[in-house]
């Protein structure tokens, strides 16, 4: 009996602090996002009025929101496809070919991942600067000095400038991750494929990809979710939604509505949509990428 | 003959591979290196001249300006303070929880495991506004009693929020390790008369050291680089952190075009993470296969 009590005390002391912090700073705020989305909640006067789903109705007709929706989807699709494809190919090349200085590349490619998004954004500001920028000065060699390209100032280009920065940031991390899982694919499979005359490309598609598929699946869902968040962090520093809202994404629009504009209820309604959207998306990815797991 | 042709095709392919790899490496090294060079350039060197020109000398005034005029020195101290506090809180809270959740079955242990797993999907960017409102409500309440706010602009509270939002990932990673330890260790400790707490602290924690180091590394990077929470919860100038200060510098640069100071600030933010990375890069890239994901 005494032993049972000591055990309970031990469990309680160990688990309770974590549970309490987790509830206060994660569960309750998450529930609040949903609750607040049903209120019309102005900032300074701080009067809350229950309005049901009316925030969501307004959202559907809000062209700024729809544009941020479009930008987010565009970003997710391009950044995911390009980053996944390139990091898989690079990982396969580095781990399959006997590359000299493999470790050097691994170290260098991972660097963007340890830098703060603020730092990366500042670096890309220097690259994209229309007059003193690194990119325009290189391009200037080919196209002369005539009208510099406004990488962050042109509403048709700005999203792609963001996409490049995001791919630059993410590629090394996923490459190192895939290299780790490719290392567990047994060498003998490639040897027998070599004997049967399968080319490198064929080996990549019929040995490497299927065998690390589980890993690709998990990273894919997390990558999509983290792109939604990262795009927000990049937009916040690199473009601040500009020019004129052209580069706003989901969460930057939410943050501006809620924090800067003090329409908390409206902002949180956007939060709910983003929440459902990312859950839905990862569910779809989960189903769409389901394969029979292969053993080796 | 055919053999020779195959061989040259193979060499061509290898050259192509090296060219692509080197190009990617350059695309990373050059911008980062450029910032270091730009940080010692005089402001006049940014105008009209080629951005690729090398600095004329070592213009250390940029760093002095960044530290004194742009207050990066104060922000640096704040960042160190918050990061260290958050790491300590996180370890003290997450280690015992991860250990118990991984190795003990009790009422609602299953539910708690599921909840913390679900927490992996909650991202701070959604919930930062409700957290801000909660703390500002708390401030309003405290103000009635003491006359001044407590929760916002408080580095300890910010560290607490950092630690809390890092809990799911940290517990997930640590439990993953604790599950793998054989039961024999605890049974042996029990036979020797060690209590629950002693078993955990003296037997289990030392074994978990490699995982603990991985946890510290990943969370150090995310706390040090974090700015969305910091920007929202720390609005007073004296409590801001480095990334938020850097953000101000980028915005000030747009207005006043003070380049040198901005790049000096960038170096101040980057350097600690780069040094740490060079020291422990093996550990970090190995740890990734442990975690397999990040928040």
């Amino acid at each position: 009996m005494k032993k049972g009590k000591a055990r309970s005390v031990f469990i309680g002391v160990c688990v309770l602090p974590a549970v309490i912090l987790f509830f206060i700073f994660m569960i309750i705020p998450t529930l609040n996002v949903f609750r607040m989305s049903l209120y019309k909640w102005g900032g300074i006067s701080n009067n809350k009025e229950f309005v049901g789903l009316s925030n969501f109705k307004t959202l559907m007709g809000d062209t700024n929101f729809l544009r941020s929706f479009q930008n987010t989807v565009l970003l997710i699709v391009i950044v995911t496809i390009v980053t996944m494809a390139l990091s898989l190919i690079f990982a396969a090349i580095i781990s399959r070919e006997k590359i000299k200085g493999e470790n050097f590349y691994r170290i260098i490619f991972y660097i963007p991942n340890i830098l703060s998004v603020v730092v990366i954004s500042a670096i890309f500001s220097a690259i994209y600067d229309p007059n003193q920028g690194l990119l325009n000065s290189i391009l200037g060699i080919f196209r002369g000095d005539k009208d510099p390209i406004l990488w962050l100032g042109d509403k048709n280009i700005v999203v792609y400038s963001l996409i490049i920065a995001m791919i630059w940031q993410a590629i090394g991390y996923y490459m190192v991750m895939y290299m780790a899982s490719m290392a567990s694919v047994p060498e003998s499979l490639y040897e027998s494929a070599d004997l049967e005359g399968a080319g490198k490309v064929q080996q990549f598609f019929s040995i490497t990809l299927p065998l690390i598929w589980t890993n690709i699946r998990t990273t894919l869902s997390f990558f999509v979710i983290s792109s939604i968040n990262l795009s927000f962090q990049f937009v916040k520093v690199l473009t601040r939604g500009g020019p004129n809202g052209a580069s706003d994404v989901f969460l930057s629009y939410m943050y501006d509505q809620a924090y800067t504009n003090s329409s908390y209820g409206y902002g949180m309604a956007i939060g709910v949509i983003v929440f459902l959207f990312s859950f839905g998306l990862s569910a779809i990815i989960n189903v769409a990428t389901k394969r029979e797991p292969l053993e080796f | 003959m055919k053999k020779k042709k195959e061989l040259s095709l193979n060499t061509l392919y290898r050259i192509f591979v090296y060219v692509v790899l080197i190009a990617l490496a350059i695309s990373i090294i050059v911008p980062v290196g450029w910032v270091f060079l730009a940080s010692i350039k005089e402001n006049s060197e940014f105008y009209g001249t080629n951005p690729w020109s090398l600095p004329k000398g070592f213009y250390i005034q940029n760093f002095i300006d960044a530290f004194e005029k742009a207050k990066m020195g104060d922000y640096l101290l704040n960042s160190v303070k918050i990061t260290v506090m958050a790491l300590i809180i996180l370890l003290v809270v997450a280690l015992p929880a991860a250990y118990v959740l991984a190795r003990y079955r009790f009422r609602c242990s299953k539910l708690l495991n599921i909840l913390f797993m679900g927490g992996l999907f909650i991202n701070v960017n959604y919930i930062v506004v409700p957290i801000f409102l909660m703390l500002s409500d708390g401030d309003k309440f405290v103000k009635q009693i003491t006359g001044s706010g407590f929760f916002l602009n408080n580095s300890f509270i910010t560290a607490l929020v950092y630690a809390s939002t890092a809990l799911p990932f940290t517990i997930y990673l640590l439990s993953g390790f604790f599950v793998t330890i054989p039961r024999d260790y605890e049974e042996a400790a029990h036979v020797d008369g060690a209590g629950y707490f002693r078993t955990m602290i003296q037997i289990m924690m030392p074994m978990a050291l490699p995982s603990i180091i991985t946890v510290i590394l990943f969370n150090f990077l995310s706390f040090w680089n974090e700015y969305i929470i910091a920007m929202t919860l720390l609005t007073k100038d004296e409590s801001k952190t480095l990334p938020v200060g850097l953000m101000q510098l980028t915005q000030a640069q747009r207005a006043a075009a003070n380049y040198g100071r901005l790049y000096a600030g960038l170096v101040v933010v980057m350097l600690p993470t780069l040094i740490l990375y060079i020291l422990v890069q093996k550990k970090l890239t190995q740890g990734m296969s442990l975690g397999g994901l990040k928040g």
Side-chain angles (χ1 to χ4, degrees):
Chain A
M1 200 59 214
K2 193 168 166 282
K3 192 176 169 239
K5 202 176 169 201
R7 186 175 181 271
S8 306
V9 169
F10 171 71
I11 290 175
V13 168
C14 287
V15 174
L16 269 182
V19 172
I20 291 169
L21 283 182
F22 181 62
F23 264 86
I24 294 178
F25 291 110
M26 292 198 87
I27 302 280
I28 293 175
T30 308
L31 295 177
N32 268 340
V33 170
F34 284 87
R35 192 175 59 88
M36 282 162 66
S37 71
L38 303 176
Y39 286 83
K40 190 180 162 100
W41 188 342
I44 306 138
S45 55
N46 209 9
N47 49 355
K48 285 178 256 182
E49 187 196 332
F50 185 82
V51 291
L53 294 175
S54 114
N55 279 331
F56 293 93
K57 275 194 201 114
T58 323
L59 261 184
M60 290 306 124
D62 182 347
T63 47
N64 287 331
F65 170 71
L66 296 176
R67 181 173 52 190
S68 75
F69 200 139
Q70 244 173 14
N71 282 342
T72 310
V73 172
L74 183 72
L75 273 167
I76 292 176
V77 171
I78 299 184
V79 172
T80 309
I81 292 176
V82 176
T83 311
M84 286 289 150
L86 288 182
S87 53
L88 274 168
I89 293 170
F90 281 129
I93 288 175
I94 295 188
S95 50
R96 289 300 311 142
E97 303 295 315
K98 302 284 167 285
I99 297 286
K100 277 201 199 80
E102 178 195 323
N103 222 9
F104 168 78
Y105 295 110
R106 191 207 299 264
I107 293 172
I108 296 296
F109 292 167
Y110 195 74
I111 286 180
N113 197 259
I114 59 163
L115 301 177
S116 171
V117 175
V118 185
V119 171
I120 296 173
S121 298
I123 291 177
F124 272 88
S125 297
I127 293 174
Y128 289 145
D129 190 299
N131 300 311
Q132 272 97 36
L134 302 180
L135 193 55
N136 272 354
S137 89
I138 295 176
L139 290 179
I141 301 170
F142 305 106
R143 54 193 291 280
D145 274 342
K146 56 172 184 219
D147 39 273
I149 301 170
L150 304 172
W151 295 105
L152 298 174
D154 187 322
K155 64 175 172 24
N156 297 318
I157 301 180
V158 64
V159 179
Y160 298 97
S161 303
L162 266 175
I163 287 174
I164 291 172
M166 287 178 68
I167 294 172
W168 186 86
Q169 193 264 354
I171 208 166
Y173 177 83
Y174 288 93
M175 202 193 73
V176 172
M177 178 121 74
Y178 291 139
M179 278 168 72
S181 61
M182 282 176 191
S184 64
V185 178
E187 190 64 33
S188 57
L189 287 178
Y190 293 106
E191 280 162 10
S192 50
D194 263 336
L195 286 179
E196 283 173 33
K200 290 191 167 80
V201 179
Q202 205 185 342
Q203 289 181 11
F204 176 72
F205 281 106
S206 45
I207 300 175
T208 313
L209 274 192
L211 283 178
I212 65 163
W213 190 256
T214 343
N215 192 307
I216 297 177
R217 267 187 79 190
T218 9
T219 47
L220 203 59
S221 327
F222 274 95
F223 186 75
V224 167
I225 292 177
S226 86
S227 308
I228 296 179
N229 298 312
L230 271 175
S231 65
F232 164 50
Q233 298 182 18
F234 272 102
V235 165
K236 203 74 201 134
V237 206
L238 192 55
T239 70
R240 285 187 287 166
N244 213 351
S247 64
D248 253 326
V249 290
F250 265 159
L251 290 168
S252 69
Y253 191 58
M254 177 200 95
Y255 192 85
D256 285 344
Q257 288 300 320
Y259 191 70
T260 317
N261 204 14
S262 292
S263 353
Y264 297 120
Y266 193 59
M268 291 304 100
I270 303 172
V272 170
I273 301 275
V274 185
F275 212 91
L276 298 178
F277 176 78
S278 44
F279 259 98
L281 204 59
S282 44
I284 292 172
I285 290 171
N286 228 330
V287 174
T289 58
K290 206 170 180 98
R291 304 272 187 283
E292 283 297 308
L294 281 173
E295 299 287 333
F296 45 80
Chain B
M1 198 57 202
K2 191 166 177 271
K3 181 99 185 159
K4 201 171 179 191
K5 200 178 159 204
E6 236 171 48
L7 208 72
S8 71
L9 206 70
N10 206 9
T11 345
L12 222 64
Y13 170 73
R14 283 185 74 83
I15 291 172
F16 171 74
V17 164
Y18 275 107
V19 167
V20 172
L21 285 177
I22 290 170
L24 190 65
I26 286 176
S27 83
I28 291 167
I29 297 171
V30 166
V32 175
W34 184 86
V35 170
F36 276 88
L37 287 182
S39 73
I40 55 170
K41 279 185 180 176
E42 257 184 88
N43 215 19
S44 62
E45 289 178 63
F46 289 98
Y47 291 100
T49 53
N50 188 340
W52 296 100
S53 63
L54 289 172
K56 291 196 182 104
F58 197 109
Y59 190 64
I60 197 140
Q61 189 64 33
N62 286 335
F63 286 89
I64 299 173
D65 278 356
F67 267 87
E68 285 173 356
K69 293 200 183 122
K71 294 194 193 147
M72 292 304 265
D74 299 347
Y75 300 154
L76 178 72
L77 271 180
N78 287 335
S79 268
V80 171
K81 212 164 76 182
I82 292 182
T83 306
V84 170
M85 275 196 292
L87 281 176
I88 292 173
I89 299 171
L90 178 64
L91 285 182
V92 168
V93 172
L95 263 173
Y99 169 65
V100 168
L101 284 174
R103 302 191 68 86
Y104 287 83
R105 293 288 147 260
F106 53 97
R107 215 156 34 126
C108 45
S109 65
K110 206 163 193 172
L111 177 74
L112 285 177
N113 271 316
I114 292 171
L115 269 179
F116 278 113
M117 272 301 264
L120 285 172
F121 287 88
I122 303 177
N123 197 283
V124 281
N125 296 317
Y126 304 101
I127 58 174
V128 64
V129 174
I131 290 177
F132 165 77
L133 287 173
M134 185 171 74
L135 295 178
S136 104
D137 279 348
D139 264 356
K140 271 180 211 142
F141 180 71
V142 174
K143 256 184 200 150
Q144 288 169 347
I145 306 166
T146 62
S148 63
F150 173 74
F151 293 106
L152 291 174
N153 294 305
N154 181 330
S155 31
F156 177 74
I157 298 289
T158 308
L160 205 60
V161 175
Y162 277 5
S164 311
T165 51
L167 275 177
F169 175 64
T170 308
I171 290 181
Y172 165 78
L173 217 150
L174 288 174
S175 320
F177 168 77
F178 280 127
V179 168
T180 61
I181 301 177
R183 285 243 169 258
D184 310 356
Y185 288 97
E186 278 146 320
E187 277 158 18
H190 262 296
V191 171
D192 288 346
Y196 291 106
F197 287 100
R198 240 183 100 186
T199 313
M200 177 175 78
I201 293 164
Q202 293 192 337
I203 315 279
M204 303 306 276
M205 298 292 175
M207 280 199 285
L209 205 58
S211 301
I212 294 175
I213 290 171
T214 313
V215 161
I216 292 177
L217 283 177
F218 276 109
N219 285 305
F220 167 80
L221 286 175
S222 77
F223 295 161
W224 184 263
N225 291 333
E226 203 287 331
Y227 75 96
I228 297 286
I229 296 177
M231 164 179 97
T232 315
L233 301 185
L234 305 168
T235 47
K236 284 213 181 102
D237 207 33
E238 65 265 21
S239 54
K240 282 177 178 155
T241 58
L242 264 187
V244 180
L246 187 64
M247 222 176 123
Q248 287 177 346
L249 270 180
T250 61
Q251 278 153 21
Q253 181 262 117
R254 263 170 223 165
N258 205 333
Y259 289 100
R261 200 186 287 183
L262 168 67
Y263 295 127
L266 262 172
V267 169
V268 175
V269 183
M270 275 199 292
L271 210 54
T273 49
L274 279 177
I275 291 174
L276 180 82
Y277 173 63
I278 291 163
L279 291 178
V280 297
Q281 48 87 14
K282 258 233 161 82
K283 198 102 222 145
L284 205 66
T285 44
Q286 276 168 357
M288 275 183 47
S289 42
L290 263 179
L293 55 96
K294 72 169 186 170

